[in-house]
Amino acid sequence: MKKKTAKLFRKIVKLLAPPPNLTISDWADEYRILSPESSAEPGRWSTDRAPYLRGIMDSITEPKVEEIVIMASAQVGKSEIINNTIGYFIAHDPWPIMLVQPTLEMAESYSKDRLAPMIRDMPILSKLVGNAGSKKSNNTLLRKEFPGGQLSLVGANSPASLASRPIRVVLADEVDRFPSSAGKEGDPLKLAQKRTKNFWNRKKISVSTPTIAGESRIEMEYKNSSQHRWNVSCPCCGHFQPYEWERIKRKPIVGMVCESCKELSTEIEWKQRPGDWLAKYPDNLKRGFHINALASPWESWDNIIKEYYEAKASGVELYKTWVNTVLGEAYAEDKSEHKIDELLQRRQDYKCDVPEGVLLLTAGVDVQDDRLEVEVVGWGLNESSWGVDYQVFRGDMTQKAVWNQLDVYLQKQFLNLYGEAQSIIAACMDSGGHFTDEVYAFCKERKHRRIYAIKGKGGEGVAYINKPSKVGRKKDTDLYSIGVNYGKDLIYERLKEKEPEKPGYCHFPLEMEKGYDEAYFVGLTSERKQKKFIQGKMKTVWTKPSSARNEPLDLRNYSTAALRILNPDLEYLAKNKIGGEVYHQQKRRKRKARRTLSKGVR
């Protein structure tokens, strides 16, 4: 009965609706209200505020266009494209709609923080979509019914929500944050888009800020599209061209140089000029759009330049984020292999166990069939690291002797330049080998010392630190699942940093007894990231030669995970740390003052 009613309503709506050539931008300019909770500029919507949005939104209503790809930076209005599209199809062209967020939690947050205020503040929507809190309404947080259709909000990590009823309009938000597979069902983006196959007038819209070049889902989709770029007319010669970072200048004024006449014009002069979308492949009906923050009315070039220099000064990780979120481009990683000789030359003579700058110590423990391997790592501000000690304990793993050796070692105190002792305050121990029960027992008894059992979990999109589960015969031992791919990405990025004062820089000791010889660095850099087809799907995997030993890489990963589980405030520790050169200078001055006073008394 409900299906018959819905079909009848669609027929009535189509008879009474405004002309079919009404575009999304026209609809938004007529009806859209920006809510104060989700907008810095609440009130009546105007597409002229960000004119580049008009071409993107209106392409969605082009009859021949089925698929739209939007690769964009932050602060350019991506979310408003989604909101306007949802509002248009609810009020003007009602059909089943799906909005896919990376996770169910993000879908719930979007519903509460963006969708609910928009529906509440727009009469044209509020009279069609019932209040989710009302007793008469069938609406929930993740499902909004309206005459002629419904809106489903789902998570890309939930296979069940991606594989049910037919959908005409699929909106996929932040697709680069989607997991590589929704459970065992495959690519969540393709799963969601398959649900449109029953509709001749289907619409598939994918939106995201890109991530890593060659791995970014939105970059791949954009490359297979028309590749539209937003172009603006030069204030001097009228030549149309895109906003490009390479032509942005700070002096003598902040502005951009024209690629044709080479004249330098200010930000205001450029942003007042007419603009247009120009395509590299105009005949491609898969419409792809790329826009960066230089075009945004909500972002100034002064601020962008400032953020650039801060990111460059802060190391590779922040610079990568700047490229993604400001330029809207995929970051091209340095694919050159780590040179062992360069890492060997990086080693320093600490002259003590714990060098200046180390605020705390963590450890990683790897369990093999005939030995235990341990690395102790010192951590400083911005997660700069110091390799402190690398040891191997060989023995019969079924006997207590080798486990006792490990227990004693993890209680060892390491001395700094001033003779002060520092202890290991957290450790992660791999439980994935042949001695799982022994690891559980060892960690359970030492939980008060923050010695954690962990199990590595591979795959893209897996969080680095996940909530612990209860394991063991009595389910009384905490087991942390560690996203090892994330950790390896992080370590390799940090090994590329060559300036010691930059965040994340990795220091290593010169003293041979500490275990940092050539074999250590071969193991630390033994793996490579590759793209492979696995069960018919393209996936990014870490691989190593069959003969290579990768324990040093795993141990550095576990030590980093121990730090992240502990989650200390390193900046606070640095400000309040008792010890170090300043503290000892103060102590020496006090001792000298006491000696002077005592001589005066005599």
Side-chain angles (χ1 to χ4, degrees):
M1 192 69 186
K2 285 186 177 180
K3 289 183 179 178
K4 289 181 180 179
T5 305
K7 287 181 180 178
L8 179 62
F9 180 82
R10 285 196 196 103
K11 289 179 181 179
I12 295 170
V13 165
K14 287 172 183 176
L15 288 171
L16 301 177
N21 61 352
L22 181 72
T23 65
I24 292 179
S25 66
D26 291 337
W27 180 89
D29 286 335
E30 179 69 24
Y31 299 108
R32 180 70 200 281
I33 302 296
L34 296 168
S35 303
E37 296 97 323
S38 57
S39 176
E41 300 175 354
R44 178 70 64 179
W45 167 273
S46 173
T47 306
D48 290 337
R49 181 78 172 97
Y52 52 81
L53 294 178
R54 188 181 306 279
I56 300 175
M57 292 190 293
D58 292 353
S59 69
I60 298 171
T61 51
E62 283 186 50
K64 293 183 179 180
V65 174
E66 176 181 307
E67 193 166 358
I68 299 92
V69 176
I70 305 161
M71 184 172 76
S73 67
Q75 299 297 319
V76 292
K78 298 195 302 296
S79 295
E80 300 310 335
I81 295 171
I82 293 172
N83 289 338
N84 288 339
T85 302
I86 289 172
Y88 173 88
F89 281 105
I90 290 175
H92 178 67
D93 193 9
W95 289 95
I97 310 165
M98 175 185 283
L99 173 60
V100 188
Q101 291 284 338
T103 66
L104 277 172
E105 292 78 11
M106 292 176 71
E108 290 175 353
S109 177
Y110 198 99
S111 179
K112 289 186 287 189
D113 300 339
R114 290 185 176 274
L115 200 57
M118 179 179 77
I119 293 170
R120 178 200 67 205
D121 293 338
M122 294 179 61
I124 194 172
L125 297 181
S126 58
K127 68 183 181 183
L128 297 174
V129 182
N131 188 338
S134 133
K135 290 183 180 179
K136 296 182 180 179
S137 173
N138 292 322
N139 291 333
T140 65
L141 191 62
L142 296 177
R143 180 179 169 83
K144 310 292 181 185
E145 292 187 355
F146 49 87
Q150 75 281 328
L151 168 66
S152 302
L153 293 95
V154 304
N157 61 343
S158 173
S161 62
L162 294 171
S164 56
R165 66 183 66 80
I167 298 291
R168 182 196 164 197
V169 181
V170 170
L171 289 145
D173 191 18
E174 292 300 343
V175 299
D176 268 24
R177 297 173 69 181
F178 284 14
S180 58
S181 179
K184 297 180 181 179
E185 302 299 321
D187 184 347
L189 181 60
K190 300 305 178 188
L191 272 178
Q193 292 178 341
K194 279 182 182 178
R195 292 176 58 175
T196 65
K197 66 181 180 180
N198 291 339
F199 293 90
W200 64 269
N201 55 351
R202 55 187 166 265
K203 299 293 179 180
K204 298 178 283 189
I205 303 111
S206 301
V207 185
S208 191
T209 299
T211 49
I212 304 298
E215 300 174 23
S216 168
R217 187 183 262 112
I218 199 71
E219 180 195 40
M220 293 178 191
E221 297 289 339
Y222 178 74
K223 284 183 175 179
N224 291 324
S225 74
S226 60
Q227 295 190 29
H228 279 76
R229 296 180 73 190
W230 180 247
N231 283 246
V232 285
S233 169
C234 172
C236 298
C237 69
H239 174 68
F240 276 83
Q241 58 205 280
Y243 287 113
E244 293 178 327
W245 174 248
E246 294 75 15
R247 293 185 284 113
I248 297 293
K249 303 298 178 184
R250 295 174 69 196
K251 296 178 181 179
I253 57 169
V254 173
M256 188 171 78
V257 174
C258 173
E259 65 180 10
S260 178
C261 70
K262 309 304 179 186
E263 289 293 324
L264 177 64
S265 301
T266 67
E267 175 183 5
I268 293 175
E269 289 170 334
W270 279 105
K271 287 185 176 179
Q272 288 177 341
R273 299 291 294 171
D276 195 9
W277 286 101
L278 301 181
K280 186 175 183 179
Y281 305 107
D283 295 332
N284 192 333
L285 288 178
K286 181 176 180 178
R287 292 284 190 260
F289 299 91
H290 175 247
I291 189 75
N292 63 41
L294 292 169
S296 174
W298 304 288
E299 192 63 275
S300 74
W301 291 1
D302 268 325
N303 189 52
I304 289 173
I305 291 169
K306 180 183 176 183
E307 288 180 355
Y308 166 77
Y309 284 104
E310 288 175 352
K312 288 292 282 185
S314 298
V316 174
E317 292 173 61
L318 285 180
Y319 177 63
K320 182 194 301 184
T321 301
W322 182 87
V323 171
N324 296 158
T325 60
V326 175
L327 299 186
E329 296 174 1
Y331 178 78
E333 289 187 317
D334 180 7
K335 297 297 182 182
S336 61
E337 296 184 356
H338 296 290
K339 296 180 180 178
I340 304 300
D341 289 343
E342 289 183 3
L343 293 174
L344 285 167
Q345 292 170 10
R346 182 181 293 194
R347 295 178 299 174
Q348 308 160 256
D349 185 359
Y350 288 174
K351 302 188 186 310
C352 60
D353 296 332
V354 182
E356 190 74 30
V358 173
L359 301 171
L360 55 87
L361 303 176
T362 66
V365 183
D366 190 50
V367 181
Q368 297 293 324
D369 288 345
D370 62 347
R371 68 193 184 280
L372 295 166
E373 298 199 18
V374 190
E375 184 183 27
V376 179
V377 179
W379 299 96
L381 272 175
N382 301 308
E383 292 194 9
S384 293
S385 64
W386 284 259
V388 171
D389 198 33
Y390 193 105
Q391 294 294 328
V392 179
F393 302 111
R394 298 185 182 277
D396 184 347
M397 301 300 293
T398 63
Q399 303 299 314
K400 287 187 177 181
V402 68
W403 297 94
N404 290 338
Q405 267 188 293
L406 174 66
D407 185 40
V408 170
Y409 180 78
L410 292 177
Q411 297 178 73
K412 179 179 175 180
Q413 293 191 322
F414 299 83
L415 302 179
N416 64 19
L417 278 170
Y418 310 104
E420 297 168 331
Q422 287 185 245
S423 301
I424 298 166
I425 63 170
C428 281
M429 189 172 188
D430 181 32
S431 67
H434 294 154
F435 298 94
T436 300
D437 290 338
E438 287 84 350
V439 171
Y440 289 169
F442 186 90
C443 294
K444 175 189 170 184
E445 294 174 7
R446 294 158 183 82
K447 182 178 180 180
H448 62 286
R449 285 163 47 191
R450 303 187 191 91
I451 297 177
Y452 307 115
I454 63 165
K455 187 171 183 180
K457 185 177 181 181
E460 299 175 81
V462 178
Y464 193 28
I465 307 298
N466 298 276
K467 289 182 179 180
S469 56
K470 292 294 183 181
V471 295
R473 292 174 184 173
K474 296 183 179 180
K475 303 294 182 184
D476 54 359
T477 303
D478 289 337
L479 176 68
Y480 284 87
S481 175
I482 303 299
V484 290
N485 284 21
Y486 177 96
K488 290 173 184 178
D489 285 338
L490 186 65
I491 292 164
Y492 271 49
E493 283 300 326
R494 289 174 172 177
L495 289 174
K496 293 174 187 174
E497 186 57 70
K498 297 181 180 180
E499 298 182 39
E501 66 278 3
K502 294 291 181 67
Y505 182 84
C506 301
H507 304 257
F508 300 100
L510 183 61
E511 298 90 334
M512 294 304 294
E513 68 274 10
K514 294 185 184 296
Y516 293 85
D517 55 10
E518 184 173 349
Y520 168 85
F521 292 105
V522 170
L524 184 65
T525 59
S526 59
E527 297 193 22
R528 295 289 176 268
K529 194 160 60 170
Q530 296 179 341
K531 282 198 165 293
K532 289 187 175 182
F533 276 99
I534 300 175
Q535 297 180 346
K537 303 177 184 70
M538 179 68 80
K539 294 185 179 181
T540 301
V541 295
W542 283 86
T543 62
K544 70 177 181 69
S546 58
S547 59
R549 306 301 308 185
N550 65 343
E551 288 86 356
L553 176 59
D554 286 341
L555 288 174
R556 183 54 66 107
N557 209 345
Y558 303 159
S559 292
T560 307
L563 178 75
R564 292 293 181 89
I565 292 172
L566 189 65
N567 194 27
D569 187 336
L570 293 172
E571 191 169 334
Y572 176 84
L573 289 177
K575 290 178 180 177
N576 297 277
K577 178 175 164 54
I578 297 176
E581 188 177 351
V582 174
Y583 173 73
H584 283 276
Q585 285 176 351
Q586 293 173 343
K587 285 179 70 175
R588 286 193 290 271
R589 284 197 293 270
K590 288 178 181 177
R591 283 198 297 269
K592 184 177 179 181
R594 283 198 298 270
R595 284 197 299 269
T596 304
L597 180 61
S598 110
K599 286 178 183 177
V601 170
R602 289 195 192 101

